[in-house]
């Protein structure tokens, strides 16, 4: 639906055309798209020092006194064809020619700007940013936007799109010269940057050629009218959703019992006020944004409500699968964790529309919170500062230092060979936790770390076994390893503690953020279905695995329990059939929504950080995910089928004593390498002459063993005596002795 209104303030002012899009409309049948105006074309521009004549945006206006230069016109972001001095506004004009108005049946203005704009076609407004007031309202030359907006193209994003149909074009365009005029405004005189990159493209009715090819990121408009998934509709009342602070908006959810949801149906899943902001860390660079929202009553207070069948709460996440082109990795991880008997955020697939702009497939999900239906631990009030009340509940996390509520404390590692850890308060939040509670949980973690660093940490009586919920650490580790999550152990790593009277142990979990798991990362060996993520070299990365994870993996009791839990789960939750059925079920639920998602975000043929695989189609992405998991299951099964000792990848190089030694007729030589290396293992006599080569080639990380049958390379038995065996793996070299008896 498109509504057109006209406003005429005085007879000598131009008519202002105000166009409101309920949704992007399907344009009439056409042959192709072409671009008439590019951002880097030569534009006429002026930095006004006073108000311009009202007809500045019309074709008849004389702009010969203006400057000219390639767009964009601006400063500060490195995306400027013409760099100007800092300014509150700049006005642009670009004349183009139309030879056949009948053949131009649709148009899209793409706007990439910092911080706001109003655009006109032959004097009529065809688009503006939401931070410059309502359509049709006047913006003075020295007017500032009411909020920041960052340009997107220079950081790999997509510009805003404003569409015009054939009816509007028949009114706006004329044969011959036409003019696109744009006023661009900054958030303040002191703003550090300004961007103005605008493109005007036309849908052509036949095979005629009038202009140039569309940019590589160009997306054809398409209709979105119905879905088999719930439809989430958010209206911000022309406000831009920011990273911070949250803005107030309206959210409606269409979730019909019939399973068919149409735009225009009544809001029956939710219909009320929310506050909303952009969330995420590295994901904020993607044009498809994630959002954190809070359901509110009309007074702006928290309003607990059930969303899409999930238990009542007020804090929610709209997760945006983007680099994960399977769209299901987070969903899969949380499903598996819940199937293991652990709490993980509940999820529901949906499609999202914000301010009449279709945003694609999203996952509506629970935020990690202390709650009887989420992390079920005791509520900790500010006045609970002594006794058992003080001992719980607490939720902590190890994570990146950006984002909201990241206050915490740095804990130096008690083991000098390892780095320290930054622990963050998650519950109570930093603004709510009082000093006594801070002191308690800091001391609790300090005591835990001291115990894990001690020589007696594996003591059956005095060790760590009664201090932690060992099963939770094992399950989090198994989820980290089966998915080979490159963030495992060190980022988005949650843990919690209840009151001592309920459970005094430290519990690991819930799991969080698995979009870079299951083979979807081209760094830290995330692409490989082999190797333990626990032992990946992190180099100079400041976010290291907490030392106590290494201590756990050095403990034979932990490894035995890890092995036993794997054997149990591979028959059920981690079985091939169960995981594949979970993926297939999700793909079936998503249905045609994935087509619309990748039409909105056409990235199936593109590398999106940090993809290890670019499949070119959704089917290929799902096949890759399944094949990677199959290979991972096989590798882990092979490793864990061996002795408990071989479960653990060593942290250092080592050449073991031969056993037996002295020997006759055979002995076994063991060695350990913490990473894949080219390895040679040779036998020498006491004169230094090589007798036998046992290993010569690339070896995977692990603990290895090989037998020597007291024969030389020719297969001839050697005489009794003293022999040397020598290993070289990378820069590591070690030699030991053994005695052959006859």
């Amino acid at each position: 639906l498109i509504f057109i209104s006209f406003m005429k303030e005085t007879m000598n002012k131009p008519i202002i055309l105000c166009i409101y899009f309920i949704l992007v409309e399907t344009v009439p049948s056409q042959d192709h798209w072409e671009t008439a105006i590019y951002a880097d074309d030569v534009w006429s521009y002026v930095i006004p020092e006073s108000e311009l004549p009202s007809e500045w945006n019309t074709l008849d206006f004389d702009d010969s006194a203006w400057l000219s230069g390639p767009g964009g016109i601006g400063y500060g972001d490195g995306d400027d064809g013409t760099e100007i001095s800092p300014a509150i506004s700049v006005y642009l004009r670009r004349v183009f020619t139309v030879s056949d108005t009948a053949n131009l049946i649709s148009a899209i203005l793409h706007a990439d700007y910092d911080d706001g704009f109003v655009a006109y076609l032959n004097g009529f407004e065809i688009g503006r940013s939401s931070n410059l007031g309502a359509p049709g309202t006047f913006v003075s030359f020295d007017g500032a936007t009411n909020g920041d907006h960052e340009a997107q193209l220079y950081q790999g994003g997509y510009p805003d799109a404003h569409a015009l149909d054939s009816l509007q074009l028949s009114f706006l365009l004329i044969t011959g010269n036409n003019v696109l005029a744009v006023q661009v405004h900054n958030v303040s005189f002191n703003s550090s940057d300004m961007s103005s990159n605008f493109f005007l493209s036309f849908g052509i009715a036949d095979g005629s050629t009038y202009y140039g090819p569309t940019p590589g990121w160009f997306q054809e408009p398409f209709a979105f009218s119905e879905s088999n998934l719930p439809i989430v509709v958010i209206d911000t009342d022309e406000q831009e959703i920011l990273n911070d602070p949250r803005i107030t908006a309206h959210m409606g959810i269409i979730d019909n019992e019939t399973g068919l949801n149409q735009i225009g149906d009544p809001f029956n899943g939710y219909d009320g006020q929310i506050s909303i902001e952009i969330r995420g860390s590295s994901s904020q660079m993607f044009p498809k944004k994630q959002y954190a929202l809070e359901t509110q009553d009309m007074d702006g207070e928290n309003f607990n409500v059930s969303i899409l069948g999930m238990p009542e709460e007020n804090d929610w996440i709209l997760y945006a699968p983007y680099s994960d082109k399977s769209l299901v990795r987070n969903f899969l991880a949380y499903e598996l964790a819940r199937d293991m008997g652990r709490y993980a955020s509940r999820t529901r697939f949906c499609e999202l529309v914000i301010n009449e702009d279709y945003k694609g497939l999203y996952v509506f999900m629970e935020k990690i919170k202390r709650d009887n239906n989420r992390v079920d631990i005791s509520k900790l009030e500010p006045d609970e500062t002594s006794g058992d009340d003080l001992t719980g509940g607490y939720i902590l996390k190890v994570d990146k230092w950006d984002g909201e509520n990241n206050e915490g404390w740095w804990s130096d590692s008690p083991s000098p060979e390892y780095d320290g850890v930054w622990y963050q308060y998650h519950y109570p939040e930093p603004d709510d936790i009082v000093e006594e509670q801070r002191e308690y949980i800091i001391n609790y973690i300090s005591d835990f770390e001291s115990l894990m660093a001690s020589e007696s940490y594996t003591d059956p009586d005095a060790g760590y076994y009664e201090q932690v919920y060992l099963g939770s650490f094992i399950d989090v580790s198994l989820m980290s390893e089966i998915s080979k999550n490159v963030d495992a152990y060190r980022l988005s790593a949650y843990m919690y503690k209840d009151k001592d009277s309920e459970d005094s142990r430290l519990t690991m979990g819930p799991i969080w953020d698995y979009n870079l798991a299951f083979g979807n990362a081209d760094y830290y060996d995330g692409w490989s279905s082999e190797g333990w993520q626990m032992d990946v070299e992190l180099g100079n990365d400041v976010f290291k695995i907490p030392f106590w994870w290494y201590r756990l993996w050095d403990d034979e009791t932990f490894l035995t329990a890890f092995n036993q839990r794997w054997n149990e789960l591979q028959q059920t939750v981690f079985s091939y059939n169960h995981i594949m059925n979970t993926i297939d079920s999700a793909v079936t639920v998503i249905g045609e929504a994935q087509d619309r998602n990748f039409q909105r975000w056409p990235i199936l043929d593109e590398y999106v950080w940090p993809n290890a695989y670019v499949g070119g189609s959704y089917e290929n992405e799902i096949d890759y995910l399944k094949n990677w998991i199959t290979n991972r299951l096989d590798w882990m099964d092979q490793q864990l089928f061996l002795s408990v000792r071989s479960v653990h990848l060593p942290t250092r190089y080592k050449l073991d004593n031969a056993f037996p030694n002295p020997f006759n007729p055979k002995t076994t030589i063991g060695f350990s390498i913490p990473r894949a290396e080219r390895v040679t293992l040779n036998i020498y006599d006491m004169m230094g002459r090589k007798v036998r080569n046992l290993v010569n080639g690339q070896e995977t990380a692990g603990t290895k063993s090989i037998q020597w049958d007291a024969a030389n390379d020719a297969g001839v038995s050697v005489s009794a005596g003293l022999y040397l065996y020598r290993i070289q793996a990378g820069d590591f070299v070690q030699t030991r002795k053994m005695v052959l008896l006859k």
Side-chain angles (χ1 to χ4, degrees), residues 339-358:
D339 290 341
M340 293 165 71
R342 305 296 177 189
Y343 168 74
S345 292
R346 300 171 182 90
T347 60
R348 298 291 184 272
F349 292 108
C350 63
E351 293 188 82
L352 177 64
V353 176
I354 299 180
N355 296 334
E356 301 148 13
D357 181 14
Y358 174 75

Side-chain angles (χ1 to χ4, degrees), residues 282-283 285-286 323 400 516 520 522-523 607-611:
S282 57
S283 65
M285 68 180 175
F286 298 141
S323 67
K400 291 182 179 178
L516 301 185
N520 189 36
D522 61 2
Y523 66 99
Y607 170 85
V608 176
W609 181 89
N611 291 159

Side-chain angles (χ1 to χ4, degrees), residues 671-705:
F671 63 92
S672 302
I673 54 173
R675 62 183 61 84
E677 295 276 15
R678 180 172 182 81
V679 176
T680 58
L681 178 60
N682 294 321
I683 311 295
Y684 299 89
D685 62 21
M686 287 306 296
M687 300 298 293
R689 295 171 297 200
K690 187 173 75 170
V691 174
R692 179 75 175 270
N693 171 248
L694 296 177
V695 178
N696 185 22
Q698 190 75 9
E699 292 285 334
T700 60
T703 299
K704 319 281 183 173
S705 63

Side-chain angles (χ1 to χ4, degrees), residues 224 227-233 251 253-255 261 288 293 307-308 310 317-321 327 347-353 358-365 589-590 593-594 596-597:
F224 174 59
S227 176
N228 62 300
L229 298 175
I231 300 174
V232 178
V233 180
M251 181 174 73
I253 298 178
I254 304 167
D255 184 24
N261 305 299
K288 186 181 181 184
L293 63 93
I307 298 288
L308 301 176
M310 293 180 280
I317 300 293
L318 273 166
Y319 165 67
L327 308 174
T347 60
R348 298 291 184 272
F349 292 108
C350 63
E351 293 188 82
L352 177 64
V353 176
Y358 174 75
K359 296 295 187 180
L361 181 130
Y362 275 69
V363 183
F364 212 115
M365 55 189 284
V589 169
I590 290 171
Q594 61 87 10
R596 292 185 289 271
N597 180 81

Side-chain angles (χ1 to χ4, degrees), residues 439-490:
E439 183 178 350
Y440 171 82
I441 195 60
I442 290 173
N443 289 336
Y444 177 88
I445 293 297
S446 178
D447 290 344
F448 164 68
E449 290 188 326
S450 295
L451 174 61
M452 294 302 295
S454 70
E455 292 297 324
S456 60
Y457 85 105
T458 59
D459 184 275
D461 298 318
Y464 74 94
Y465 305 114
E466 298 299 321
Q467 306 302 313
V468 305
Y469 181 9
L470 190 60
S472 70
F473 282 76
I474 289 170
D475 282 359
V476 166
S477 192
L478 278 167
M479 275 303 308
S480 300
E481 293 298 343
I482 195 174
S483 64
K484 212 153 186 275
N485 184 1
V486 294
D487 291 343
Y489 307 107
R490 64 195 186 94

